[in-house]
Amino acid sequence: MLRQEFLLVRSRLTTDDAEETEAALVVRALELPELTQARTVAAYVSVGSEPGTRALLDALHARGVRVLLPALMADNDLDWGAYDGEGSLVRVQHRGKMALLEPAGERLGPDAVLSADAVLLPGLAVDARGMRLGRGGGSYDRVLARLERAGADPALVVLLYDSEVVDRVPEEPHDRPVHAVVTPSGVRRFRRRP
């Protein structure tokens, strides 16, 4: 129910709202040293009413950052490919799911994310503890588990609308907190757990 409530609010946003949010997110995200100093960032291409990521992807790429983008596999896990600008994306319609823009080039394998200095995660909300509410498909839970198993410790950052930073979201044993949330009004950091 909570996911549906956040999606309903997003569905009411106008094109102007989305464009203003995307422009503000680029400015705010590029204030994060975790992104500006990263050599490799695993990111995603926003879809539908998600806070826009395309301008941020282009800004990172223009700075010489290696940007990895996910490709959804049949089991909901994520493979990765390099982003080389807008022409390097292809629209993929997944059976029974939404169409996604994915990297058109070589697949680097699910473990490619282990090379990332920062990982941008999609979400619907984040709470005061840094716990992220995703869409429920489990793709990014697998990514976070893969990072943890490998002992990788990239900065975990979620991009959201201001109204999606809330007091508390439901948490399951496999959930992992993010390190920061970027919204149009600013950046909020969460204490890293040992």
Side-chain angles (χ1 to χ4, degrees), residues 12-63:
R12 294 180 179 146
L13 296 170
T14 66
T15 302
D16 287 344
D17 292 335
E19 289 173 0
E20 287 173 21
T21 296
E22 184 169 4
L25 283 175
V26 172
V27 172
R28 298 296 185 201
L30 293 178
E31 293 172 354
L32 278 173
E34 294 92 328
L35 293 182
T36 58
Q37 296 171 9
R39 293 179 310 277
T40 301
V41 173
Y44 62 97
V45 180
S46 54
V47 295
S49 58
E50 286 182 329
T53 61
R54 296 289 287 277
L56 179 57
L57 299 178
D58 289 336
L60 290 169
H61 179 67
R63 289 177 173 210

Side-chain angles (χ1 to χ4, degrees), residues 79-137:
D79 199 340
W80 299 89
Y83 177 65
D84 290 317
E86 190 169 331
S88 69
L89 297 175
V90 63
R91 185 178 179 84
V92 179
Q93 178 63 56
H94 292 278
R95 188 176 196 159
K97 299 175 182 155
M98 65 180 77
L100 301 172
L101 287 173
E102 297 182 353
E106 174 190 2
R107 293 292 180 259
L108 304 173
D111 285 344
V113 71
L114 300 177
S115 69
D117 301 304
V119 178
L120 298 180
L121 303 160
L124 294 173
V126 70
D127 70 17
R129 305 167 297 159
M131 299 308 297
R132 178 186 68 93
L133 177 67
R135 286 187 176 255

Side-chain angles (χ1 to χ4, degrees), residues 112-188:
V113 71
L114 300 177
S115 69
D117 301 304
V119 178
L120 298 180
L121 303 160
L124 294 173
V126 70
D127 70 17
R129 305 167 297 159
M131 299 308 297
R132 178 186 68 93
L133 177 67
R135 286 187 176 255
S139 297
Y140 281 89
D141 292 327
R142 293 176 188 199
V143 169
L144 295 174
R146 180 172 287 115
L147 292 167
E148 188 173 334
R149 279 192 310 272
D153 190 28
L156 304 176
V157 180
V158 64
L159 306 174
L160 296 174
Y161 296 103
D162 289 311
S163 63
E164 295 169 342
V165 179
V166 298
D167 290 334
R168 196 154 186 102
V169 297
E171 176 186 351
E172 296 186 37
H174 64 269
D175 289 332
R176 299 293 174 261
V178 298
H179 304 128
V181 60
V182 179
T183 67
S185 65
V187 172
R188 180 170 177 184

